[in-house]
Protein backbone atom coordinates (compact mmCIF):
# COMPACT_ATOMS: atom_id res chain seq x y z
CA UNK A 1 0.00 0.00 0.00
CA UNK A 2 2.86 2.37 0.79
CA UNK A 3 4.34 1.79 -2.65
CA UNK A 4 1.00 2.64 -4.22
CA UNK A 5 0.94 5.96 -2.39
CA UNK A 6 4.47 6.95 -3.34
CA UNK A 7 3.73 8.15 -6.86
CA UNK A 8 0.98 10.60 -5.93
CA UNK A 9 2.85 11.90 -2.92
CA UNK A 10 6.00 12.62 -4.87
CA UNK A 11 4.00 14.60 -7.38
CA UNK A 12 2.21 16.65 -4.75
CA UNK A 13 5.33 17.24 -2.68
CA UNK A 14 8.15 17.93 -5.11
CA UNK A 15 10.67 19.20 -2.53
CA UNK A 16 11.11 15.63 -1.40
CA UNK A 17 14.54 15.36 0.08
CA UNK A 18 15.36 18.58 1.80
CA UNK A 19 15.00 18.22 5.54
CA UNK A 20 12.11 20.11 7.13
CA UNK A 21 14.30 22.48 9.11
CA UNK A 22 16.22 23.42 5.97
CA UNK A 23 16.31 27.02 4.71
CA UNK A 24 16.30 26.69 0.94
CA UNK A 25 15.30 28.59 -2.12
CA UNK A 26 11.96 27.72 -3.61
CA UNK A 27 12.20 24.45 -5.47
CA UNK A 28 8.69 23.90 -6.73
CA UNK A 29 7.93 22.39 -10.10
CA UNK A 30 5.08 23.02 -12.47
CA UNK A 31 3.24 19.99 -11.13
CA UNK A 32 2.84 21.52 -7.69
CA UNK A 33 0.75 24.48 -8.72
CA UNK A 34 -2.58 23.14 -7.51
CA UNK A 35 -3.81 22.09 -10.94
CA UNK A 36 -5.15 18.74 -9.84
CA UNK A 37 -3.70 15.42 -8.77
CA UNK A 38 -3.74 13.45 -12.00
CA UNK A 39 -0.30 13.34 -13.58
CA UNK A 40 1.24 11.21 -16.29
CA UNK A 41 4.17 8.91 -15.60
CA UNK A 42 6.55 11.10 -17.53
CA UNK A 43 5.34 14.26 -15.77
CA UNK A 44 5.90 12.62 -12.41
CA UNK A 45 9.34 11.39 -13.42
CA UNK A 46 10.35 14.87 -14.51
CA UNK A 47 8.97 16.25 -11.25
CA UNK A 48 11.15 13.89 -9.30
CA UNK A 49 14.21 14.47 -11.47
CA UNK A 50 13.92 18.24 -11.24
CA UNK A 51 12.78 18.91 -7.72
CA UNK A 52 12.98 15.69 -5.76
CA UNK A 53 16.73 15.60 -6.27
CA UNK A 54 17.84 14.02 -2.97
CA UNK A 55 19.25 17.22 -1.60
CA UNK A 56 21.34 17.16 1.54
CA UNK A 57 22.17 20.87 1.91
CA UNK A 58 20.64 24.20 0.96
CA UNK A 59 21.20 25.37 -2.60
CA UNK A 60 23.91 27.89 -3.35
CA UNK A 61 22.97 30.81 -5.49
CA UNK A 62 24.62 31.00 -8.85
CA UNK A 63 21.76 30.91 -11.29
CA UNK A 64 21.68 32.46 -14.70
CA UNK A 65 19.66 35.60 -15.25
CA UNK A 66 17.86 33.88 -18.10
CA UNK A 67 15.25 31.16 -18.06
CA UNK A 68 16.20 27.85 -19.60
CA UNK A 69 13.83 25.63 -21.55
CA UNK A 70 12.75 22.39 -19.95
CA UNK A 71 15.54 20.02 -20.91
CA UNK A 72 15.42 16.26 -20.37
CA UNK A 73 17.33 15.30 -17.26
CA UNK A 74 16.76 11.63 -17.94
CA UNK A 75 17.39 9.59 -21.09
CA UNK A 76 14.59 9.05 -23.57
CA UNK A 77 11.83 6.86 -22.17
CA UNK A 78 12.58 4.17 -24.74
CA UNK A 79 15.99 3.75 -23.13
CA UNK A 80 14.50 3.32 -19.67
CA UNK A 81 12.47 0.17 -20.17
CA UNK A 82 14.33 -3.03 -19.38
CA UNK A 83 13.67 -6.68 -18.74
CA UNK A 84 12.07 -8.35 -15.72
CA UNK A 85 13.58 -6.82 -12.61
CA UNK A 86 15.12 -8.57 -9.63
CA UNK A 87 13.41 -6.98 -6.64
CA UNK A 88 14.46 -9.28 -3.81
CA UNK A 89 17.29 -7.67 -1.81
CA UNK A 90 18.88 -11.03 -1.04
CA UNK A 91 19.02 -11.94 -4.73
CA UNK A 92 20.45 -8.53 -5.62
CA UNK A 93 23.20 -9.03 -3.06
CA UNK A 94 23.98 -12.53 -4.32
CA UNK A 95 24.29 -11.41 -7.93
CA UNK A 96 26.40 -8.43 -6.87
CA UNK A 97 29.19 -10.63 -5.51
CA UNK A 98 32.44 -10.55 -7.52
CA UNK A 99 32.35 -14.24 -8.47
CA UNK A 100 31.99 -16.23 -11.67
CA UNK A 101 30.86 -19.75 -10.83
CA UNK A 102 28.15 -21.07 -13.09
CA UNK A 103 27.60 -24.20 -11.02
CA UNK A 104 26.41 -22.38 -7.90
CA UNK A 105 24.25 -20.04 -9.97
CA UNK A 106 22.49 -23.11 -11.41
CA UNK A 107 21.57 -24.07 -7.86
CA UNK A 108 20.55 -20.54 -6.96
CA UNK A 109 18.24 -19.81 -9.89
CA UNK A 110 15.62 -22.58 -9.40
CA UNK A 111 15.52 -21.83 -5.67
CA UNK A 112 14.76 -18.18 -6.44
CA UNK A 113 12.12 -19.27 -8.96
CA UNK A 114 10.14 -20.81 -6.11
CA UNK A 115 8.88 -17.30 -5.37
CA UNK A 116 7.12 -17.17 -8.74
CA UNK A 117 5.89 -20.74 -8.35
CA UNK A 118 4.16 -19.81 -5.10
CA UNK A 119 2.15 -17.13 -6.87
CA UNK A 120 -0.09 -19.87 -8.26
CA UNK A 121 -3.17 -20.27 -6.10
CA UNK A 122 -3.78 -23.27 -3.86
CA UNK A 123 -1.72 -26.41 -3.55
CA UNK A 124 -1.17 -26.54 -7.30
CA UNK A 125 1.77 -24.26 -6.71
CA UNK A 126 3.53 -27.13 -4.96
CA UNK A 127 3.86 -29.07 -8.20
CA UNK A 128 5.84 -26.22 -9.69
CA UNK A 129 7.87 -25.82 -6.49
CA UNK A 130 8.73 -29.52 -6.61
CA UNK A 131 10.17 -29.07 -10.10
CA UNK A 132 12.26 -26.17 -8.82
CA UNK A 133 13.59 -28.24 -5.93
CA UNK A 134 14.45 -31.20 -8.14
CA UNK A 135 16.29 -28.91 -10.54
CA UNK A 136 18.27 -27.33 -7.71
CA UNK A 137 19.10 -30.75 -6.22
CA UNK A 138 20.38 -32.04 -9.57
CA UNK A 139 22.45 -28.92 -10.07
CA UNK A 140 23.99 -29.30 -6.61
CA UNK A 141 24.81 -32.99 -7.13
CA UNK A 142 26.22 -32.53 -10.63
CA UNK A 143 28.08 -29.32 -9.92
CA UNK A 144 29.41 -29.95 -6.43
CA UNK A 145 33.01 -30.45 -7.53
CA UNK A 146 32.96 -27.23 -9.57
CA UNK A 147 31.43 -25.36 -6.66
CA UNK A 148 34.10 -26.67 -4.30
CA UNK A 149 36.84 -25.69 -6.73
CA UNK A 150 35.51 -22.13 -6.72
CA UNK A 151 35.85 -21.69 -2.94
CA UNK A 152 38.66 -19.53 -1.62
CA UNK A 153 41.21 -21.76 0.04
CA UNK A 154 40.97 -19.93 3.36
CA UNK A 155 37.18 -20.40 3.37
CA UNK A 156 36.99 -23.91 1.95
CA UNK A 157 36.12 -25.70 5.20
CA UNK A 158 33.22 -23.36 5.92
CA UNK A 159 32.02 -23.62 2.32
CA UNK A 160 31.95 -27.43 2.46
CA UNK A 161 29.93 -27.41 5.68
CA UNK A 162 27.46 -24.95 4.18
CA UNK A 163 27.06 -27.12 1.06
CA UNK A 164 26.26 -30.09 3.30
CA UNK A 165 23.60 -28.01 5.08
CA UNK A 166 22.21 -27.00 1.70
CA UNK A 167 21.91 -30.63 0.57
CA UNK A 168 20.10 -31.60 3.78
CA UNK A 169 17.83 -28.58 3.50
CA UNK A 170 16.83 -29.54 -0.05
CA UNK A 171 15.77 -32.96 1.22
CA UNK A 172 13.76 -31.30 3.98
CA UNK A 173 12.07 -29.04 1.47
CA UNK A 174 11.18 -32.06 -0.63
CA UNK A 175 9.44 -33.62 2.38
CA UNK A 176 7.58 -30.36 3.03
CA UNK A 177 6.24 -30.54 -0.53
CA UNK A 178 5.25 -34.20 -0.13
CA UNK A 179 3.32 -33.23 3.00
CA UNK A 180 1.59 -30.51 0.94
CA UNK A 181 2.57 -27.92 3.55
CA UNK A 182 2.51 -24.82 1.40
CA UNK A 183 3.03 -22.39 4.30
CA UNK A 184 6.36 -23.97 5.21
CA UNK A 185 7.87 -23.56 1.74
CA UNK A 186 8.83 -19.88 1.80
CA UNK A 187 10.69 -19.97 5.15
CA UNK A 188 12.67 -23.02 4.03
CA UNK A 189 13.39 -21.39 0.68
CA UNK A 190 14.83 -18.36 2.48
CA UNK A 191 17.01 -20.60 4.64
CA UNK A 192 18.38 -22.43 1.58
CA UNK A 193 19.09 -19.22 -0.29
CA UNK A 194 20.98 -17.95 2.74
CA UNK A 195 23.16 -21.06 2.49
CA UNK A 196 23.70 -20.36 -1.21
CA UNK A 197 24.69 -16.78 -0.42
CA UNK A 198 27.15 -17.95 2.22
CA UNK A 199 28.78 -20.37 -0.23
CA UNK A 200 29.06 -17.61 -2.81
CA UNK A 201 30.66 -15.24 -0.31
CA UNK A 202 33.14 -17.99 0.50
CA UNK A 203 34.20 -17.87 -3.15
CA UNK A 204 35.50 -14.32 -2.82
CA UNK A 205 39.23 -14.48 -2.19
CA UNK A 206 40.30 -11.18 -0.66
CA UNK A 207 39.30 -7.76 -1.95
CA UNK A 208 39.15 -7.79 -5.76
CA UNK A 209 40.64 -4.38 -6.69
CA UNK A 210 42.60 -1.37 -5.49
CA UNK A 211 40.70 1.68 -4.27
CA UNK A 212 42.03 4.87 -5.94
CA UNK A 213 44.89 6.45 -4.03
CA UNK A 214 42.99 9.66 -3.22
CA UNK A 215 40.43 7.63 -1.23
CA UNK A 216 42.68 4.91 0.07
CA UNK A 217 43.18 6.52 3.48
CA UNK A 218 39.47 6.94 4.17
CA UNK A 219 37.48 4.34 6.16
CA UNK A 220 36.88 1.52 3.67
CA UNK A 221 34.68 -1.54 3.94
CA UNK A 222 36.55 -4.23 2.03
CA UNK A 223 33.81 -6.82 2.03
CA UNK A 224 30.36 -6.84 3.55
CA UNK A 225 28.91 -5.92 6.91
CA UNK A 226 25.50 -6.35 8.50
CA UNK A 227 23.94 -3.77 10.81
CA UNK A 228 20.75 -3.71 12.87
CA UNK A 229 18.93 -0.37 13.06
CA UNK A 230 16.45 -0.11 15.92
CA UNK A 231 13.82 2.59 15.48
CA UNK A 232 11.31 3.79 18.07
CA UNK A 233 8.10 4.34 16.12
CA UNK A 234 5.78 6.92 17.66
CA UNK A 235 2.01 7.24 17.40
CA UNK A 236 1.45 3.81 15.90
CA UNK A 237 -0.50 1.38 18.08
CA UNK A 238 0.49 -1.55 15.88
CA UNK A 239 4.26 -0.98 15.82
CA UNK A 240 6.50 0.38 18.55
CA UNK A 241 10.09 -0.77 18.15
CA UNK A 242 11.29 -2.19 14.88
CA UNK A 243 14.69 -3.63 14.01
CA UNK A 244 15.75 -3.25 10.40
CA UNK A 245 18.56 -5.54 9.28
CA UNK A 246 20.73 -3.95 6.60
CA UNK A 247 23.48 -5.58 4.55
CA UNK A 248 26.17 -3.14 3.41
CA UNK A 249 28.10 -4.05 0.27
CA UNK A 250 31.71 -2.94 0.43
CA UNK A 251 32.64 -5.01 -2.61
CA UNK A 252 30.79 -2.55 -4.83
CA UNK A 253 30.89 0.58 -2.64
CA UNK A 254 33.88 0.37 -0.25
CA UNK A 255 34.21 4.12 0.37
CA UNK A 256 30.50 4.74 0.90
CA UNK A 257 30.00 1.65 3.07
CA UNK A 258 33.18 2.32 5.02
CA UNK A 259 32.11 5.88 5.78
CA UNK A 260 28.75 4.64 7.08
CA UNK A 261 30.20 1.87 9.26
CA UNK A 262 32.72 4.31 10.68
CA UNK A 263 29.88 6.68 11.61
CA UNK A 264 27.88 3.80 13.08
CA UNK A 265 30.81 2.89 15.33
CA UNK A 266 31.01 6.52 16.42
CA UNK A 267 27.30 6.28 17.45
CA UNK A 268 26.67 9.19 15.10
CA UNK A 269 23.12 8.06 14.24
CA UNK A 270 22.08 6.91 17.72
CA UNK A 271 19.30 9.12 19.04
CA UNK A 272 18.84 10.86 15.69
CA UNK A 273 15.33 11.42 14.35
CA UNK A 274 13.93 10.37 11.02
CA UNK A 275 14.00 13.66 9.12
CA UNK A 276 12.06 12.81 6.00
CA UNK A 277 9.31 10.29 5.35
CA UNK A 278 7.09 11.21 2.42
CA UNK A 279 6.08 7.99 0.72
CA UNK A 280 8.99 8.14 -1.71
CA UNK A 281 11.94 7.93 0.66
CA UNK A 282 12.85 7.78 4.33
CA UNK A 283 15.88 9.92 5.17
CA UNK A 284 18.10 10.80 8.14
CA UNK A 285 21.68 11.78 8.92
CA UNK A 286 21.54 15.58 9.22
CA UNK A 287 23.08 16.42 12.61
CA UNK A 288 21.88 19.17 14.94
CA UNK A 289 23.50 22.54 14.41
CA UNK A 290 24.72 24.33 11.31
CA UNK A 291 26.73 21.42 9.93
CA UNK A 292 25.17 19.57 7.01
CA UNK A 293 27.08 16.37 7.67
CA UNK A 294 29.70 14.71 9.84
CA UNK A 295 32.41 16.99 11.22
CA UNK A 296 35.59 15.00 11.70
CA UNK A 297 36.91 15.89 15.17
CA UNK A 298 40.43 15.26 13.95
CA UNK A 299 40.29 17.98 11.32
CA UNK A 300 37.36 20.11 12.44
CA UNK A 301 36.07 19.93 8.89
CA UNK A 302 33.14 18.20 7.23
CA UNK A 303 34.02 14.76 5.88
CA UNK A 304 32.69 14.22 2.40
CA UNK A 305 32.90 11.20 0.17
CA UNK A 306 32.77 10.82 -3.60
CA UNK A 307 29.95 9.52 -5.74
CA UNK A 308 30.73 5.81 -6.10
CA UNK A 309 29.01 3.60 -8.67
CA UNK A 310 29.89 0.08 -9.78
CA UNK A 311 28.78 -0.74 -13.32
CA UNK A 312 27.91 -4.32 -14.12
CA UNK A 313 30.86 -5.84 -15.97
CA UNK A 314 33.45 -3.40 -14.58
CA UNK A 315 36.10 -4.53 -12.12
CA UNK A 316 36.11 -1.36 -9.99
CA UNK A 317 33.67 1.47 -9.25
CA UNK A 318 33.44 4.77 -11.09
CA UNK A 319 34.13 7.77 -8.87
CA UNK A 320 33.03 11.39 -9.05
CA UNK A 321 30.75 11.31 -12.10
CA UNK A 322 27.24 10.12 -12.78
CA UNK A 323 26.61 7.60 -15.53
CA UNK A 324 24.66 10.26 -17.39
CA UNK A 325 27.63 12.61 -17.29
CA UNK A 326 29.74 9.82 -18.73
CA UNK A 327 27.18 9.12 -21.45
CA UNK A 328 26.56 5.59 -20.11
CA UNK A 329 22.78 5.75 -20.42
CA UNK A 330 22.28 2.02 -20.90
CA UNK A 331 24.83 0.86 -18.33
CA UNK A 332 23.47 -1.36 -15.54
CA UNK A 333 24.54 -0.62 -12.00
CA UNK A 334 25.70 -3.53 -9.87
CA UNK A 335 23.58 -2.25 -6.96
CA UNK A 336 20.38 -0.93 -8.58
CA UNK A 337 17.43 0.85 -7.01
CA UNK A 338 15.29 -2.26 -7.50
CA UNK A 339 14.34 -3.27 -3.98
CA UNK A 340 12.01 -1.65 -1.48
CA UNK A 341 14.51 -0.42 1.11
CA UNK A 342 17.43 0.27 -1.22
CA UNK A 343 19.91 2.33 0.82
CA UNK A 344 21.90 5.20 -0.71
CA UNK A 345 23.64 8.48 0.06
CA UNK A 346 22.03 11.90 -0.30
CA UNK A 347 24.25 14.68 -1.57
CA UNK A 348 24.30 18.41 -2.22
CA UNK A 349 22.24 20.02 -4.94
CA UNK A 350 24.12 23.04 -6.23
CA UNK A 351 20.95 24.95 -7.01
CA UNK A 352 17.37 24.73 -8.13
CA UNK A 353 15.96 28.21 -8.22
CA UNK A 354 12.70 29.92 -9.03
CA UNK A 355 12.25 33.64 -9.14
CA UNK A 356 9.65 36.12 -10.29
CA UNK A 357 9.95 38.42 -13.28
CA UNK A 358 7.77 41.29 -14.50
CA UNK A 359 6.64 41.15 -18.12
CA UNK A 360 6.44 44.78 -19.31
CA UNK A 361 4.34 43.88 -22.36
CA UNK A 362 1.58 42.09 -20.44
CA UNK A 363 2.20 43.84 -17.14
CA UNK A 364 2.04 40.45 -15.40
CA UNK A 365 4.41 39.05 -12.85
CA UNK A 366 5.18 35.40 -13.48
CA UNK A 367 7.24 32.62 -12.00
CA UNK A 368 10.41 31.74 -13.87
CA UNK A 369 12.16 28.47 -13.16
CA UNK A 370 15.74 27.64 -14.01
CA UNK A 371 15.08 24.00 -14.87
CA UNK A 372 18.56 23.60 -16.28
CA UNK A 373 19.96 24.31 -12.84
CA UNK A 374 18.35 21.13 -11.53
CA UNK A 375 21.08 19.12 -13.21
CA UNK A 376 23.88 20.79 -11.26
CA UNK A 377 24.54 18.27 -8.50
CA UNK A 378 27.77 18.24 -6.55
CA UNK A 379 28.75 14.64 -7.15
CA UNK A 380 31.26 14.47 -4.32
CA UNK A 381 29.39 16.17 -1.48
CA UNK A 382 27.85 13.20 0.36
CA UNK A 383 28.72 13.03 4.05
CA UNK A 384 26.29 11.45 6.53
CA UNK A 385 22.78 11.80 5.15
CA UNK A 386 21.32 8.51 3.95
CA UNK A 387 17.98 7.49 2.50
CA UNK A 388 15.96 4.37 1.86
CA UNK A 389 13.80 4.13 -1.23
CA UNK A 390 10.16 3.17 -0.86
CA UNK A 391 9.87 1.47 -4.21
CA UNK A 392 7.24 2.50 -6.75
CA UNK A 393 7.70 0.37 -9.85
CA UNK A 394 5.87 2.64 -12.32
CA UNK A 395 7.84 5.68 -11.25
CA UNK A 396 11.25 4.04 -11.21
CA UNK A 397 11.43 1.10 -13.64
CA UNK A 398 13.98 -1.34 -12.28
CA UNK A 399 17.53 -1.26 -13.60
CA UNK A 400 17.03 1.90 -15.65
CA UNK A 401 15.41 4.67 -13.69
CA UNK A 402 15.97 8.25 -12.66
CA UNK A 403 18.06 7.24 -9.63
CA UNK A 404 20.40 4.50 -10.88
CA UNK A 405 23.79 5.92 -11.74
CA UNK A 406 23.10 9.20 -9.94
CA UNK A 407 23.36 8.19 -6.29
CA UNK A 408 25.65 5.81 -4.45
CA UNK A 409 23.75 2.69 -3.43
CA UNK A 410 25.62 0.76 -0.76
CA UNK A 411 23.17 -1.68 0.80
CA UNK A 412 19.70 -3.12 1.17
CA UNK A 413 17.29 -3.64 4.06
CA UNK A 414 16.88 -7.42 4.15
CA UNK A 415 14.55 -7.84 7.15
CA UNK A 416 11.45 -5.86 8.13
CA UNK A 417 11.84 -3.62 5.08
CA UNK A 418 8.05 -3.30 4.73
CA UNK A 419 7.94 -1.41 8.03
CA UNK A 420 9.97 1.42 6.48
CA UNK A 421 6.65 2.69 5.16
CA UNK A 422 5.45 3.14 8.77
CA UNK A 423 8.28 5.50 9.71
CA UNK A 424 7.42 9.14 10.21
CA UNK A 425 9.35 12.34 10.75
CA UNK A 426 10.28 12.44 14.42
CA UNK A 427 10.60 8.69 14.94
CA UNK A 428 13.90 8.05 16.70
CA UNK A 429 16.78 5.80 15.73
CA UNK A 430 17.61 4.29 19.10
CA UNK A 431 20.74 2.60 17.81
CA UNK A 432 22.55 1.18 14.81
CA UNK A 433 24.88 -1.69 15.63
CA UNK A 434 27.27 -3.71 13.47
CA UNK A 435 26.42 -7.37 13.98
CA UNK A 436 28.93 -8.85 11.52
CA UNK A 437 31.68 -7.77 9.15
CA UNK A 438 33.34 -5.11 11.31
CA UNK A 439 36.67 -6.82 10.65
CA UNK A 440 36.27 -5.80 7.00
CA UNK A 441 36.55 -2.10 7.94
CA UNK A 442 40.03 -0.66 7.31
CA UNK A 443 41.29 2.79 8.32
CA UNK A 444 38.64 3.14 11.07
CA UNK A 445 38.88 6.79 12.06
CA UNK A 446 36.83 6.22 15.20
CA UNK A 447 39.65 4.13 16.65
CA UNK A 448 42.28 6.72 15.83
CA UNK A 449 40.49 9.89 16.86
CA UNK A 450 37.83 8.65 19.26
Amino acid sequence: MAAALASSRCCRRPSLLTTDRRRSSVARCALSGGKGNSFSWKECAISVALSVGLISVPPTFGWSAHAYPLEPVIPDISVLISGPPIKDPGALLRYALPIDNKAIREVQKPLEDITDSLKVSGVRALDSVERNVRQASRALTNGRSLILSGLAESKRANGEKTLDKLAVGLEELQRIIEDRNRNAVAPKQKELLNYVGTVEEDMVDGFPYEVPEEYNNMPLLKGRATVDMTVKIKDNPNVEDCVFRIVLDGYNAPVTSGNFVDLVERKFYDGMEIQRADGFVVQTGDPEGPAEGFIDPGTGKSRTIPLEIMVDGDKAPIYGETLEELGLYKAQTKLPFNAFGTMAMARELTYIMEWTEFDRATKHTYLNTCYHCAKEFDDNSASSQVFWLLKESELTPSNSNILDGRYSVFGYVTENEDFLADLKVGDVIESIQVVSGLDNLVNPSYKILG
Side-chain angles (χ1 to χ4, degrees):
M1 182 175 70
L5 294 173
S7 177
S8 62
R9 288 183 183 177
C10 81
C11 288
R12 291 182 201 143
R13 300 187 56 191
S15 57
L16 282 180
L17 290 177
T18 51
T19 52
D20 289 336
R21 61 189 182 84
R22 200 53 88 235
R23 281 191 309 112
S24 62
S25 59
V26 181
R28 296 185 299 268
C29 75
L31 303 184
S32 63
K35 297 181 180 180
N37 297 326
S38 177
F39 307 111
S40 70
W41 182 95
K42 190 170 183 178
E43 287 175 321
C44 196
I46 292 172
S47 169
V48 175
L50 292 177
S51 36
V52 174
L54 296 135
I55 306 166
S56 63
V57 303
T60 57
F61 302 112
W63 60 89
S64 168
H66 303 285
Y68 289 84
L70 179 59
E71 296 181 0
V73 297
I74 56 176
D76 187 83
I77 297 301
S78 62
V79 177
L80 294 179
I81 307 304
S82 60
I86 299 174
K87 299 181 181 180
D88 178 69
L92 289 168
L93 287 163
R94 287 188 289 274
Y95 284 111
L97 286 166
I99 64 171
D100 183 17
N101 189 287
K102 184 179 179 181
I104 191 63
R105 297 299 194 198
E106 289 180 347
V107 178
Q108 175 181 333
K109 183 62 167 62
L111 287 176
E112 291 174 344
D113 288 345
I114 289 174
T115 300
D116 288 331
S117 296
L118 288 174
K119 292 178 182 178
V120 178
S121 61
V123 294
R124 291 183 303 159
L126 295 176
D127 295 333
S128 181
V129 172
E130 185 171 20
R131 289 192 291 272
N132 298 141
V133 174
R134 288 177 177 173
Q135 184 180 349
S137 297
R138 285 196 302 270
L140 179 58
T141 300
N142 297 335
R144 186 180 177 93
S145 61
L146 290 175
I147 295 172
L148 288 172
S149 67
L151 294 170
E153 191 59 38
S154 61
K155 305 175 184 177
R156 186 179 179 88
N158 185 66
E160 287 189 37
K161 289 180 181 179
T162 307
L163 280 178
D164 291 339
K165 292 179 181 178
L166 178 58
V168 171
L170 284 167
E171 293 175 358
E172 292 171 348
L173 181 52
Q174 181 61 43
R175 288 194 291 272
I176 288 171
I177 296 168
E178 291 170 358
D179 292 338
R180 314 307 283 176
N181 186 358
R182 179 187 172 119
N183 292 335
V185 171
K188 179 57 71 172
Q189 175 205 23
K190 184 174 182 179
E191 176 188 326
L192 298 183
L193 284 171
N194 285 338
Y195 290 149
V196 170
T198 299
V199 171
E200 291 174 346
E201 289 198 51
D202 286 342
M203 292 179 172
V204 183
D205 190 7
F207 195 70
Y209 56 87
E210 290 294 327
V211 174
E213 185 176 355
E214 59 263 45
Y215 313 123
N216 204 33
N217 291 324
M218 302 182 74
L220 305 173
L221 186 66
K222 292 193 170 182
R224 286 186 173 168
T226 301
V227 302
D228 281 350
M229 180 174 72
T230 303
V231 181
K232 181 72 173 178
I233 300 178
K234 301 177 181 178
D235 304 323
N236 189 329
N238 300 318
V239 183
E240 290 186 358
D241 295 317
C242 192
V243 179
F244 299 94
R245 176 148 290 188
I246 308 168
V247 176
L248 310 173
D249 189 350
Y251 290 122
N252 294 292
V255 177
T256 311
S257 300
N259 175 72
F260 182 76
V261 173
D262 191 69
L263 294 178
V264 166
E265 287 300 296
R266 288 177 175 272
K267 310 299 182 185
F268 176 84
Y269 298 99
D270 292 6
M272 186 173 287
E273 293 185 349
I274 298 298
Q275 296 153 353
R276 192 154 212 100
D278 49 29
F280 186 63
V281 299
V282 169
Q283 182 170 329
T284 192
D286 183 8
E288 292 291 336
E292 307 298 341
F294 169 65
I295 302 298
D296 192 324
T299 63
K301 298 179 180 180
S302 175
R303 184 167 81 192
T304 58
I305 59 174
L307 180 66
E308 182 177 43
I309 300 168
M310 178 72 88
V311 172
D312 195 13
D314 287 358
K315 294 183 178 179
I318 294 170
Y319 289 92
E321 293 182 276
T322 68
L323 298 189
E324 181 186 15
E325 289 167 345
L326 294 170
L328 301 175
Y329 297 112
K330 295 185 179 181
Q332 302 292 297
T333 56
K334 201 73 173 176
L335 299 175
F337 279 93
N338 281 20
F340 193 100
T342 299
M343 185 176 186
M345 294 297 299
R347 65 179 197 274
E348 176 184 349
L349 176 63
T350 305
Y351 50 82
I352 287 181
M353 187 62 194
E354 287 182 344
W355 66 97
T356 57
E357 290 188 3
F358 181 73
D359 189 326
R360 295 180 182 276
T362 63
K363 297 184 179 180
H364 290 305
T365 300
Y366 63 94
L367 192 67
N368 198 345
T369 303
C370 179
Y371 288 107
H372 181 77
C373 302
K375 296 165 62 177
E376 302 297 328
F377 288 94
D378 185 341
D379 294 332
N380 301 313
S381 61
S383 179
S384 61
Q385 295 195 47
V386 299
F387 67 93
W388 294 269
L389 180 69
L390 307 182
K391 177 69 176 175
E392 172 46 60
S393 57
E394 279 76 27
L395 179 61
T396 52
S398 298
N399 284 327
S400 20
N401 53 52
I402 59 175
L403 299 178
D404 283 338
R406 295 171 180 266
Y407 300 94
S408 300
V409 175
F410 63 104
Y412 297 99
V413 180
T414 59
E415 293 183 19
N416 289 327
E417 61 269 25
D418 290 344
F419 287 101
L420 285 169
D422 292 306
L423 298 185
K424 302 177 298 300
V425 172
D427 289 345
V428 177
I429 299 173
E430 293 186 333
S431 67
I432 306 181
Q433 297 179 324
V434 180
V435 296
S436 67
L438 186 58
D439 54 333
N440 291 325
L441 181 67
V442 300
N443 306 326
S445 69
Y446 70 92
K447 283 189 175 182
I448 299 171
L449 301 173

